[in-house]
Amino acid sequence: GAVVSQHPSWVICKSGTSVKIECRSLDFQATTMFWYRQFPKQSLMLMATSNEGSKATYEQGVEKDKFLINHASLTLSTLTVTSAHPEDSSFYICSARVRGLYEQYFGPGTRLTVT
Amino acid sequence: GQSLEQPSEVTAVEGAIVQINCTYQTSGFYGLSWYQQHDGGAPTFLSYNGLDGLEETGRFSSFLSRSDSYGYLLLQELQMKDSASYFCAVRPSWGKLQFGAGTQVVVTP
């Protein structure tokens, strides 16, 4: 149980275009989903927290107009990187949490390369 | 501010024991977790310490001392498949995780 999927697993896009990444909880309802970014050989940095049906809360320094997060249902959250630039190339990982429980279950990540 | 310190890399032979230390400074504390991440993969949960003391899960154990703001992960009977990055992560507030920089464990034959 507690499986989280992400789609796509990797994507290459041109500079200036937008990319949408989906995060789904497959066998449980996720009241809260988290989006992280990880650069090579570095730690996971929390970008934003999203609760189903409400606006995402962004961490300091993360541009909310650039990284659009939508948590439309209890099993799906999406991250859209708008007007992507090469410096946005990174590994994006989502995680999901069940209401009342602390543990986060991580998705397999999405490798984004912006050319 | 908030910070976590852990060694960047540890190398050991198969069958050995490795201890990864983690010291932290946070404004709030709801416990310390450990995650394993293989190259290109998702972090997987290993253990959690909410109270002082040792938690044992198979070959892996984790320890916490809240008074010292310190914890460690102990990997016993090392296997080649244990080669990965290991992250300590504190819970500075309910629901959130803040990760350390990670320790690369290299297991050699």
Side-chain angles (χ1 to χ4, degrees):
Chain A
V3 177
V4 176
S5 71
Q6 279 184 243
H7 177 79
S9 54
W10 59 269
V11 58
I12 301 172
C13 70
K14 291 187 184 295
S15 190
T17 61
S18 295
V19 172
K20 181 185 282 189
I21 302 170
E22 292 186 348
C23 176
R24 291 182 186 273
S25 57
L26 298 185
D27 51 3
F28 66 101
Q29 293 186 328
T31 50
T32 305
M33 287 184 169
F34 303 87
W35 286 95
Y36 296 85
R37 181 165 54 180
Q38 185 179 33
F39 292 106
K41 304 294 185 189
Q42 293 189 26
S43 186
L44 284 81
M45 301 300 296
L46 180 65
M47 299 174 67
T49 303
S50 77
N51 292 296
E52 185 264 339
S54 60
K55 287 186 180 179
T57 303
Y58 291 80
E59 295 299 302
Q60 196 169 12
V62 178
E63 301 173 59
K64 61 181 180 181
D65 294 330
K66 180 169 182 60
F67 299 99
L68 302 178
I69 291 171
N70 183 280
H71 193 160
S73 76
L74 285 172
T75 60
L76 173 65
S77 176
T78 60
L79 167 68
T80 301
V81 183
T82 62
S83 188
H85 291 288
E87 56 264 31
D88 298 324
S89 298
S90 188
F91 193 47
Y92 291 86
I93 306 174
C94 72
S95 70
R97 186 172 68 87
V98 177
R99 187 198 307 276
L101 299 181
Y102 201 102
E103 209 46 64
Q104 295 182 28
Y105 301 95
F106 287 84
T110 296
R111 176 81 54 195
L112 170 64
T113 302
V114 184
T115 62
Chain B
Q2 305 185 87
S3 68
L4 293 92
E5 301 262 347
Q6 54 180 125
S8 58
E9 184 171 320
V10 173
T11 300
V13 297
E14 269 187 297
I17 299 174
V18 159
Q19 178 172 316
I20 303 171
N21 298 321
C22 175
T23 57
Y24 58 87
Q25 244 185 335
T26 60
S27 52
F29 184 79
Y30 287 79
L32 185 71
S33 298
W34 289 91
Y35 289 82
Q36 178 193 62
Q37 186 182 32
H38 286 98
D39 265 350
T44 55
F45 172 77
L46 291 178
S47 71
Y48 166 71
N49 294 74
L51 301 174
D52 291 351
L54 190 68
E55 293 286 338
E56 296 177 89
T57 310
R59 294 187 296 115
F60 296 170
S61 304
S62 59
F63 171 83
L64 175 66
S65 168
R66 287 174 297 170
S67 60
D68 295 322
S69 298
Y70 163 77
Y72 67 71
L73 177 71
L74 195 71
L75 288 65
Q76 301 180 77
E77 299 172 26
L78 271 182
Q79 301 176 9
M80 295 299 291
K81 66 179 181 179
D82 297 329
S83 290
S85 290
Y86 292 82
F87 295 88
C88 59
V90 296
R91 303 177 176 185
S93 62
W94 179 254
K96 279 192 176 182
L97 284 171
Q98 181 178 348
F99 286 83
T103 298
Q104 179 78 37
V105 171
V106 178
V107 182
T108 60

